[in-house]
Structure formats: structure tokens, C-alpha cells
Amino acid sequence: MELFEYRDPVFGLIVLFAVLLLVSLMSYVWGTFSLKHSQKSLENIVKRFENGKASEVGELLGAVKPNLNLLLAFALTLQKTGDFEKAIAVYLFALKETSDQKRRQELLVLLGKTHLKAGFFKRAEDLFLESLKISARDDEALRQLGFVYEKLRQYDKSLEVLDALKELGEETNTQHAYVNALKIVASKFDFAEKSQKLLLLAKEFTLIKRMLIELYTREKRELDFDLPPLDMCADLLYFAGLDSNEWNTKAAKCLNENGFVAKVEFSFVCDECKAVSPLFSYRCGQCARLGSVKVKSKIVKEENDRSYHIF
């Protein structure tokens, strides 16, 4: 019994140092393994996405050897001009030339966003997932991954991403409502169930009432709910031939009743980035902000198949 009760302080220190050494060794081995695995994974990503254009751009940049900041500025300029193929090639070159994990993660996100804008949704998904392997709590990568799942109509996965963002402290109630609304619209629910569920979600996000107007119009039903603000739906009401108090709509009607041939034209402007689009989108196509696109109208006079802006 005395043998088990005896405590040798020197022996205890030896055990403690041995444990610390073992933990340090395991951490080093695991870190080395993770780094090699990450390196191999990135090499596979680059090989998968490289094409003839990427090789050509890579050879040109390899001869010049610009720094990373210059590469990023160059890629962003190409992206803004719509030359996504060359922008992707520049990002791939930068990714190969960078060994810092943090910068690699940032480049993977930028590369994913470029693929997303270019319409390559599955590739964008792969890139955002790869970036999350490096930094699992990166909110921008998660946010962009959620957008990808919206585009792919994988709404359950999009909701899972929103749950993760909520755990990170981001306010997601509006986005949860929007994605759930998309899921309902795509479901096999009948008209009554869809309209009831959408009306409930509209309490969280008013723009969902635009989906309701689209649903009612498609089903040729009379609107029986309070309309959202006209800057969310004036175009729908106009083309459906429904009465509204929108000023240009009333003015065009008055002009037509007095011998003019006038009509209302609509454009859609993002309040956030001021991008203008000929088509409505629940998310801005430029900055991806949800609910920022507003309906703008103008009256045009038609003469000889040509339109002239009146006011």
C-alpha cells in the first residue's frame, strides 16, 4: 500500500515533460501531414481548373514575376471587364505562387467568386469548400457557398450554411425566410398551401410578397393581400394589367386616353452598389445583396416603332 502512496517529484517531472514532448511531436506530425495534404489538394484544384488559356497566361506572368498585390489588381480588372477566363487564369497563377495558407484561402474565395459570376456553380462550390478546409469559420466563404447552393437550387444545403453563419453571430433571419420561400415556390404544394406559407414568411421579409404576386398572377387569382411597396412590384402590377397608384403608370394611362401612344418602361437599380439591370433579381447580380434591387420606371412615347423618353 505504501508503494502506491509514494510520490517521487523527479519522476513526476519526467512524466510531465514526456507527455509535453509527445503532444508537441504529435502536433508537429499532424501539422506537417495537414500541410502536405492541403498542398496536394490545392495542386489537384489547380490541375483540374487549368486550361490552355491558364497555361498561356501563366507563362506570360512567370516571365514578368509580378507581386501578389499586382496580380490581384490585374485579376479584378479583368473580372470587371467580363474577361472571366483570364481573371481565373491569373488567380490560378497566384495560387501556385503563394505558400502562405491565409493568402491561399483568400485566393480560393476570390477564385470561387469569379467562377460564381461566370456561372460555373459546381466549380465555385468546390473552391469555397476547399477554402473552408483551411479556415472553417470564414464567414465570406460560407456566405458565397450559400449563394452557390441557391443558384443550384439545393435549398436544404443553403439553409445549413445559413445555420452555420448564424452560429458565427451573423443575422440570418431575412435570408432564412428568403431561402425557405424559394423552397416553397419550388415545392409540389398546392396554391393554397404555397400562398399561406409565403404570406407567413413575408412577415420576416417583405419582398417575398413579390413572389406571392407572381404566384397569384401565374394562377390567374385575384390579389387578396396587402401589396408591398411599389418599388418592389410596380412592374409586375403594370404587366399584369392590375391597378396601382404608381405615378408613371397613372400618367401613361392619362396620356393614352388623350391621344398619345405612351408606355411605361422599367429598370432595376441596386441601392447598395447602384448597378442597373434590365431584369429584376431578388439578389443584386453585381454585389449579391439580398433585397437591395428597386424598381424604377419612366414613361416613353412610341412613334414609328421607336421609343422616346417623355419623363
Side-chain angles (χ1 to χ4, degrees):
M1 189 59 121
E2 292 179 356
L3 179 64
F4 290 102
E5 290 177 353
Y6 176 70
R7 297 288 185 271
D8 186 345
V10 176
F11 177 74
L13 285 173
I14 293 172
V15 171
L16 176 62
F17 282 120
V19 170
L20 290 174
L21 181 62
L22 181 62
V23 170
S24 299
L25 182 62
M26 290 179 65
S27 297
Y28 173 76
V29 171
W30 177 252
T32 303
F33 172 77
S34 298
L35 189 60
K36 287 183 178 179
H37 179 74
S38 176
Q39 179 69 27
K40 186 67 176 176
S41 184
L42 282 172
E43 287 174 1
N44 291 336
I45 284 281
V46 172
K47 285 179 182 178
R48 280 175 54 201
F49 292 171
E50 270 190 326
N51 53 25
K53 179 64 70 176
S55 299
E56 180 184 328
V57 171
E59 289 177 9
L60 178 62
L61 293 174
V64 178
K65 295 185 177 179
N67 63 40
L68 184 59
N69 290 333
L70 189 59
L71 284 172
L72 295 181
F74 183 38
L76 184 60
T77 301
L78 290 168
Q79 186 175 320
K80 285 182 176 179
T81 61
D83 198 341
F84 297 113
E85 188 177 11
K86 285 183 181 176
I88 288 168
V90 174
Y91 283 132
L92 286 171
F93 176 82
L95 195 59
K96 287 192 294 183
E97 295 296 307
T98 306
S99 58
D100 181 75
Q101 286 292 84
K102 187 176 186 302
R103 298 311 297 265
R104 280 181 168 180
Q105 194 269 337
E106 292 170 356
L107 283 166
L108 284 167
V109 173
L110 289 170
L111 195 52
K113 289 167 79 170
T114 307
H115 278 84
L116 179 56
K117 282 186 175 293
F120 302 127
F121 303 135
K122 289 299 291 181
R123 286 188 170 194
E125 177 191 11
D126 291 342
L127 289 161
F128 293 132
L129 288 172
E130 189 68 29
S131 75
L132 288 167
K133 289 179 184 178
I134 299 173
S135 179
R137 296 174 64 85
D138 183 73
D139 55 354
E140 180 62 15
L142 284 167
R143 204 175 295 116
Q144 296 293 330
L145 182 61
F147 299 161
V148 170
Y149 288 139
E150 281 181 28
K151 293 290 187 181
L152 294 172
R153 300 185 179 182
Q154 296 178 0
Y155 301 125
D156 287 333
K157 286 187 177 181
S158 184
L159 289 169
E160 287 175 9
V161 171
L162 288 175
D163 288 340
L165 283 168
K166 189 171 184 179
E167 287 181 10
L168 292 176
E170 186 164 318
E171 174 55 53
T172 62
N173 289 346
T174 297
Q175 296 194 69
H176 266 100
Y178 172 63
V179 176
N180 275 313
L182 292 175
K183 187 177 176 181
I184 290 165
V185 170
S187 73
K188 295 181 179 180
F189 293 139
D190 60 20
F191 170 79
E193 197 163 2
K194 281 185 178 181
S195 59
Q196 183 182 15
K197 290 179 180 293
L198 289 174
L199 201 54
L200 286 173
L201 288 172
K203 294 177 181 179
E204 288 286 345
F205 184 36
T206 306
L207 190 56
I208 290 173
K209 284 191 174 182
R210 183 181 172 97
M211 294 185 188
L212 272 167
I213 296 172
E214 292 170 336
L215 175 64
Y216 273 68
T217 303
R218 189 164 54 248
E219 296 288 333
K220 296 181 172 55
R221 303 292 184 102
E222 185 176 345
L223 303 184
D224 58 1
F225 55 88
D226 294 333
L227 295 177
L230 290 172
D231 62 2
M232 293 183 179
C233 67
D235 59 315
L236 289 182
L237 300 177
Y238 177 78
F239 291 118
L242 301 172
D243 290 332
S244 74
N245 289 321
E246 202 270 332
W247 193 90
N248 279 335
T249 300
K250 293 192 295 182
K253 183 178 180 181
C254 182
L255 286 169
N256 287 324
E257 289 173 351
N258 286 276
F260 289 90
V261 181
K263 68 175 184 178
V264 181
E265 286 187 352
F266 296 93
S267 61
F268 307 94
V269 182
C270 174
D271 276 350
E272 186 72 16
C273 68
K274 307 306 176 187
V276 181
S277 172
L279 299 173
F280 181 83
S281 176
Y282 289 90
R283 282 192 187 279
C284 173
Q286 187 67 32
C287 68
R289 183 71 177 268
L290 179 62
S292 64
V293 176
K294 303 300 180 186
V295 181
K296 307 293 182 181
S297 65
K298 65 180 180 181
I299 300 174
V300 296
K301 179 182 178 183
E302 291 190 312
E303 289 182 1
N304 300 324
D305 296 325
R306 297 181 68 182
S307 297
Y308 300 89
H309 181 203
I310 301 175
F311 52 82

